[in-house]
Amino acid sequence: LTIAGFYCLGFGIAFGETQGCIIGGSNFGLSGISDGSRIQGVSGFAFWFFEVGIAGTATTIVSGSTCERMRLEAYFAVSAILGAIVYPVAVHWVWGNGFLSTHACPDLQGGYHPIFTRTERSNGVIDLAGSAVVHTVGGFCGLVGTVMLGPRIGRFGEYTREVNPMPPHSYILVAVGSMIIWASFFAFNCGSTLQLVGNGDLVGKILVNTAMSSATSCITCTTISI
Protein backbone atom coordinates (compact mmCIF):
# COMPACT_ATOMS: atom_id res chain seq x y z
CA LEU A 1 0.00 0.00 0.00
CA THR A 2 2.85 2.37 0.74
CA ILE A 3 4.45 1.56 -2.62
CA ALA A 4 1.16 2.04 -4.49
CA GLY A 5 0.41 5.29 -2.68
CA PHE A 6 3.90 6.64 -3.30
CA TYR A 7 3.64 5.70 -6.99
CA CYS A 8 0.23 7.30 -7.54
CA LEU A 9 0.58 10.47 -5.44
CA GLY A 10 3.54 10.51 -3.10
CA PHE A 11 6.40 10.79 -5.57
CA GLY A 12 4.74 13.72 -7.34
CA ILE A 13 4.09 15.51 -4.05
CA ALA A 14 7.68 14.91 -2.95
CA PHE A 15 9.66 15.65 -6.10
CA GLY A 16 7.22 17.24 -8.54
CA GLU A 17 7.32 20.88 -9.62
CA THR A 18 6.88 22.90 -6.44
CA GLN A 19 3.63 24.67 -5.67
CA GLY A 20 4.35 27.56 -3.33
CA CYS A 21 7.39 25.72 -1.93
CA ILE A 22 5.00 23.48 0.04
CA ILE A 23 4.15 20.46 -2.14
CA GLY A 24 5.00 19.13 -5.58
CA GLY A 25 2.38 19.14 -8.30
CA SER A 26 3.68 16.95 -11.15
CA ASN A 27 5.09 13.49 -11.91
CA PHE A 28 2.08 11.71 -10.44
CA GLY A 29 2.22 8.06 -11.41
CA LEU A 30 5.71 8.75 -12.82
CA SER A 31 3.99 10.55 -15.70
CA GLY A 32 6.97 12.84 -16.24
CA ILE A 33 9.62 10.12 -16.24
CA SER A 34 10.75 8.22 -19.33
CA ASP A 35 13.87 6.42 -20.52
CA GLY A 36 16.80 8.75 -20.07
CA SER A 37 15.05 10.98 -17.53
CA ARG A 38 17.23 12.03 -14.63
CA ILE A 39 16.36 13.42 -11.22
CA GLN A 40 19.14 14.94 -9.11
CA GLY A 41 21.65 13.37 -11.50
CA VAL A 42 20.20 9.85 -11.19
CA SER A 43 18.00 7.75 -13.49
CA GLY A 44 14.40 8.71 -12.77
CA PHE A 45 13.23 5.12 -12.37
CA ALA A 46 16.18 4.17 -10.14
CA PHE A 47 15.60 7.32 -8.08
CA TRP A 48 11.94 6.37 -7.56
CA PHE A 49 12.88 2.84 -6.49
CA PHE A 50 15.35 4.12 -3.91
CA GLU A 51 12.93 6.72 -2.57
CA VAL A 52 10.03 4.28 -2.25
CA GLY A 53 12.25 2.09 -0.09
CA ILE A 54 12.82 5.03 2.25
CA ALA A 55 9.07 5.73 2.30
CA GLY A 56 8.51 2.16 3.41
CA THR A 57 10.98 2.72 6.25
CA ALA A 58 8.85 5.57 7.63
CA THR A 59 5.84 3.25 7.60
CA THR A 60 7.65 0.48 9.46
CA ILE A 61 8.51 2.88 12.28
CA VAL A 62 4.78 3.23 12.94
CA SER A 63 4.32 -0.55 12.94
CA GLY A 64 7.13 -0.90 15.48
CA SER A 65 5.58 1.72 17.74
CA THR A 66 2.15 0.06 17.70
CA CYS A 67 3.36 -3.54 17.42
CA GLU A 68 0.57 -6.12 17.88
CA ARG A 69 -1.88 -3.54 19.20
CA MET A 70 -3.33 -2.00 16.04
CA ARG A 71 -5.98 -3.68 13.92
CA LEU A 72 -4.74 -4.79 10.53
CA GLU A 73 -7.18 -2.64 8.56
CA ALA A 74 -6.10 0.41 10.57
CA TYR A 75 -2.46 -0.25 9.69
CA PHE A 76 -3.46 -0.63 6.04
CA ALA A 77 -4.96 2.87 6.18
CA VAL A 78 -1.87 4.28 7.92
CA SER A 79 0.42 2.71 5.29
CA ALA A 80 -1.56 4.17 2.39
CA ILE A 81 -1.97 7.68 3.82
CA LEU A 82 1.60 7.92 5.08
CA GLY A 83 3.09 6.82 1.74
CA ALA A 84 0.76 8.89 -0.41
CA ILE A 85 0.44 12.18 1.48
CA VAL A 86 2.02 12.68 4.92
CA TYR A 87 5.59 11.53 4.32
CA PRO A 88 5.92 13.03 0.80
CA VAL A 89 5.08 16.52 2.06
CA ALA A 90 8.00 16.42 4.50
CA VAL A 91 10.23 15.04 1.73
CA HIS A 92 9.36 17.96 -0.54
CA TRP A 93 10.21 20.45 2.19
CA VAL A 94 13.72 19.07 2.72
CA TRP A 95 14.73 17.00 -0.34
CA GLY A 96 12.55 18.51 -3.06
CA ASN A 97 12.11 22.21 -3.81
CA GLY A 98 10.32 23.02 -0.54
CA PHE A 99 11.10 25.98 1.67
CA LEU A 100 13.60 24.05 3.85
CA SER A 101 15.55 22.51 0.98
CA THR A 102 18.97 23.42 -0.36
CA HIS A 103 17.15 23.78 -3.70
CA ALA A 104 14.28 25.76 -2.23
CA CYS A 105 11.83 27.82 -4.25
CA PRO A 106 13.61 27.96 -7.65
CA ASP A 107 13.07 31.13 -9.67
CA LEU A 108 12.87 31.56 -13.45
CA GLN A 109 16.62 32.17 -13.64
CA GLY A 110 17.40 28.85 -11.94
CA GLY A 111 18.39 30.40 -8.61
CA TYR A 112 17.39 28.92 -5.28
CA HIS A 113 16.16 30.60 -2.12
CA PRO A 114 16.80 28.39 0.93
CA ILE A 115 15.47 29.23 4.36
CA PHE A 116 17.24 31.69 6.68
CA THR A 117 18.97 34.06 4.22
CA ARG A 118 16.80 33.22 1.18
CA THR A 119 19.99 33.48 -0.89
CA GLU A 120 22.62 31.02 -2.07
CA ARG A 121 24.61 31.87 1.09
CA SER A 122 22.31 29.48 2.95
CA ASN A 123 22.56 25.71 2.58
CA GLY A 124 19.02 25.20 3.84
CA VAL A 125 18.35 22.02 5.82
CA ILE A 126 20.74 19.16 5.00
CA ASP A 127 19.58 15.63 5.80
CA LEU A 128 21.70 12.97 4.11
CA ALA A 129 19.88 9.74 4.93
CA GLY A 130 16.61 10.80 6.51
CA SER A 131 17.47 11.14 10.19
CA ALA A 132 14.99 14.02 10.31
CA VAL A 133 12.70 13.46 7.32
CA VAL A 134 12.13 9.72 7.73
CA HIS A 135 12.48 9.16 11.46
CA THR A 136 10.79 12.36 12.60
CA VAL A 137 7.72 11.74 10.44
CA GLY A 138 7.56 8.05 11.29
CA GLY A 139 8.35 8.67 14.95
CA PHE A 140 5.68 11.30 15.49
CA CYS A 141 3.09 9.20 13.64
CA GLY A 142 4.06 6.28 15.86
CA LEU A 143 3.82 8.50 18.94
CA VAL A 144 0.30 9.61 17.99
CA GLY A 145 -0.71 5.99 17.46
CA THR A 146 0.79 4.93 20.78
CA VAL A 147 -0.99 7.69 22.67
CA MET A 148 -4.28 6.74 21.04
CA LEU A 149 -3.82 3.06 21.89
CA GLY A 150 -2.66 3.64 25.45
CA PRO A 151 -0.36 1.32 27.46
CA ARG A 152 -0.32 -2.44 26.95
CA ILE A 153 -2.79 -4.36 29.08
CA GLY A 154 -0.97 -5.43 32.22
CA ARG A 155 1.88 -2.98 31.79
CA PHE A 156 0.89 -1.05 34.94
CA GLY A 157 -0.60 -2.26 38.21
CA GLU A 158 -4.38 -1.82 38.25
CA TYR A 159 -4.39 0.11 41.51
CA THR A 160 -0.79 0.95 42.33
CA ARG A 161 0.17 2.01 38.77
CA GLU A 162 3.56 0.40 39.33
CA VAL A 163 5.40 -0.64 36.18
CA ASN A 164 5.25 -4.38 35.59
CA PRO A 165 8.24 -5.95 33.78
CA MET A 166 7.48 -7.22 30.28
CA PRO A 167 10.63 -8.97 29.01
CA PRO A 168 10.92 -9.78 25.30
CA HIS A 169 9.57 -13.20 24.39
CA SER A 170 12.69 -14.10 22.38
CA TYR A 171 16.12 -12.55 22.83
CA ILE A 172 17.27 -14.46 19.74
CA LEU A 173 14.69 -12.82 17.46
CA VAL A 174 15.55 -9.41 18.92
CA ALA A 175 19.25 -9.97 18.20
CA VAL A 176 18.61 -11.31 14.68
CA GLY A 177 16.35 -8.36 13.85
CA SER A 178 18.98 -5.92 15.12
CA MET A 179 21.68 -7.54 12.98
CA ILE A 180 19.48 -7.44 9.86
CA ILE A 181 18.67 -3.76 10.22
CA TRP A 182 22.31 -2.96 11.08
CA ALA A 183 23.54 -4.59 7.86
CA SER A 184 20.78 -2.88 5.88
CA PHE A 185 21.78 0.56 7.12
CA PHE A 186 25.19 0.27 5.48
CA ALA A 187 23.44 0.15 2.09
CA PHE A 188 20.78 2.65 3.15
CA ASN A 189 23.21 5.33 4.32
CA CYS A 190 25.77 4.90 1.54
CA GLY A 191 23.04 4.78 -1.09
CA SER A 192 21.81 8.16 0.10
CA THR A 193 24.81 9.75 -1.61
CA LEU A 194 22.96 8.81 -4.85
CA GLN A 195 26.30 8.20 -6.58
CA LEU A 196 28.87 5.78 -5.21
CA VAL A 197 31.33 6.16 -8.10
CA GLY A 198 33.66 9.07 -7.39
CA ASN A 199 32.48 9.43 -3.81
CA GLY A 200 34.83 6.90 -2.23
CA ASP A 201 36.00 9.15 0.60
CA LEU A 202 32.46 10.15 1.54
CA VAL A 203 31.17 6.58 1.35
CA GLY A 204 34.06 5.37 3.51
CA LYS A 205 33.30 8.00 6.14
CA ILE A 206 29.62 7.00 6.12
CA LEU A 207 30.57 3.33 6.60
CA VAL A 208 32.77 4.18 9.59
CA ASN A 209 30.13 6.41 11.19
CA THR A 210 27.41 3.79 10.69
CA ALA A 211 29.56 1.03 12.17
CA MET A 212 30.72 3.07 15.18
CA SER A 213 27.30 4.54 16.01
CA SER A 214 25.75 1.07 15.96
CA ALA A 215 28.52 -0.44 18.09
CA THR A 216 28.52 2.31 20.72
CA SER A 217 24.70 2.25 20.91
CA CYS A 218 24.78 -1.51 21.51
CA ILE A 219 27.46 -1.20 24.20
CA THR A 220 25.59 1.65 25.93
CA CYS A 221 22.19 -0.09 25.96
CA THR A 222 23.72 -3.37 27.15
CA THR A 223 25.59 -1.61 29.96
CA ILE A 224 22.50 0.23 31.12
CA SER A 225 20.33 -2.90 31.09
CA ILE A 226 22.75 -5.06 33.12
Side-chain angles (χ1 to χ4, degrees):
L1 288 171
T2 299
I3 293 174
F6 195 74
Y7 176 86
C8 294
L9 292 176
F11 188 76
I13 292 175
F15 296 103
E17 184 177 350
T18 189
Q19 306 296 314
C21 304
I22 300 297
I23 63 172
S26 62
N27 266 350
F28 298 111
L30 304 188
S31 58
I33 297 179
S34 59
D35 292 343
S37 298
R38 305 190 73 78
I39 300 177
Q40 298 185 15
V42 181
S43 164
F45 293 114
F47 185 78
W48 177 87
F49 185 78
F50 180 74
E51 291 298 331
V52 79
I54 302 179
T57 302
T59 305
T60 60
I61 294 174
V62 180
S63 69
S65 303
T66 59
C67 184
E68 300 176 350
R69 292 189 291 158
M70 180 186 288
R71 292 178 63 90
L72 187 60
E73 54 267 34
Y75 185 61
F76 284 166
V78 169
S79 299
I81 295 171
L82 197 65
I85 301 173
V86 178
Y87 170 74
V89 171
V91 171
H92 187 76
W93 291 354
V94 178
W95 289 336
N97 294 128
F99 66 99
L100 296 176
S101 172
T102 302
H103 305 99
C105 309
D107 55 32
L108 295 177
Q109 288 72 40
Y112 299 111
H113 304 279
I115 196 171
F116 304 127
T117 67
R118 309 295 295 174
T119 68
E120 294 183 357
R121 292 175 53 200
S122 173
N123 290 324
V125 174
I126 298 175
D127 183 0
L128 175 65
S131 59
V133 176
V134 180
H135 294 87
T136 299
V137 173
F140 273 107
C141 289
L143 175 62
V144 171
T146 302
V147 171
M148 293 175 66
L149 291 170
R152 292 179 181 271
I153 297 175
R155 178 58 170 162
F156 298 98
E158 184 175 357
Y159 301 106
T160 63
R161 306 304 293 170
E162 293 181 356
V163 179
N164 297 322
M166 299 185 73
H169 72 284
S170 174
Y171 288 101
I172 294 176
L173 290 179
V174 171
V176 170
S178 300
M179 294 299 293
I180 290 173
I181 196 171
W182 184 18
S184 300
F185 263 109
F186 287 108
F188 187 99
N189 292 346
C190 293
S192 294
T193 62
L194 299 181
Q195 187 174 355
L196 301 182
V197 177
N199 280 332
D201 289 340
L202 177 59
V203 170
K205 184 184 296 184
I206 292 172
L207 288 170
V208 171
N209 288 339
T210 302
M212 289 305 303
S213 61
S214 303
T216 53
S217 297
C218 180
I219 293 171
T220 301
C221 292
T222 303
T223 303
I224 292 174
S225 63
I226 293 177

